[in-house]
């Protein structure tokens, strides 16, 4: 059974950067699309970014386009989310997910436990 463990969250000032990591254990993720959701207090979970198994396709929410970059290292079984020019509205718990082979973009069958990102103004 695959387990996903996120790391890299924390407190940062507006305009700063953070890099989130999602390390998979138990099985390879090289054949799966992977991505990140986030959920802010009182708001619905939002798909932030997705990357295909090869890395050849990426998707970004409009709210993060141009500021966030998703990448993956299949040799390390790890997915990353580089977040630059952070804004207070980026404050949320960020969840890594493993994509399913069926279903639409953002469909997930395994989730990480989440990592808190807090951006102060």
């Amino acid at each position: 059974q695959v387990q996903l463990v996120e790391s890299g969250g924390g407190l940062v000032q507006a305009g700063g950067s953070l890099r989130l990591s999602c390390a998979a254990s138990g099985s390879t993720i090289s054949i799966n699309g992977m991505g990140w959701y986030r959920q802010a207090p009182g708001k619905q979970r939002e798909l932030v970014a997705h990357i295909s198994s090869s890395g050849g396709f990426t998707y970004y929410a409009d709210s993060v386009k141009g500021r966030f970059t998703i990448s993956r290292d299949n040799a390390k079984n790890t997915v990353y989310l580089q977040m630059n020019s952070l804004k207070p509205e980026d404050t949320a718990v960020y969840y890594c997910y493993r994509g399913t082979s069926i279903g639409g973009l953002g469909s997930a069958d395994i989730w990480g436990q989440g990592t808190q990102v807090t951006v102060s103004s």
Side-chain angles (χ1 to χ4, degrees):
Q1 180 72 4
V2 174
Q3 289 189 320
L4 303 176
V5 178
E6 300 101 333
S7 61
L11 174 64
V12 65
Q13 287 189 329
S17 298
L18 285 173
R19 188 175 83 152
L20 305 184
S21 298
C22 172
S25 62
S27 181
T28 181
I29 57 169
S30 62
I31 61 172
N32 298 95
M34 300 289 295
W36 296 86
Y37 274 85
R38 67 185 180 187
Q39 188 163 23
K43 294 188 177 181
Q44 287 191 330
R45 191 171 287 195
E46 174 189 20
L47 176 61
V48 175
H50 179 90
I51 187 166
S52 63
S53 57
S54 67
F57 168 79
T58 56
Y59 163 86
Y60 297 96
D62 287 343
S63 56
V64 307
K65 206 170 290 183
R67 300 187 297 121
F68 290 11
T69 303
I70 189 170
S71 62
R72 64 190 299 161
D73 185 337
N74 285 339
K76 294 183 178 179
N77 235 21
T78 301
V79 177
Y80 305 96
L81 186 67
Q82 178 67 44
M83 306 186 296
N84 298 329
S85 301
L86 283 162
K87 304 175 181 180
E89 51 263 43
D90 294 318
T91 295
V93 178
Y94 284 71
Y95 298 91
C96 174
Y97 70 86
R98 187 181 78 168
T100 59
S101 57
I102 58 174
L105 182 69
S107 295
D109 61 355
I110 294 176
W111 296 88
Q113 82 287 355
T115 185
Q116 176 70 46
V117 171
T118 302
V119 184
S120 63
S121 57

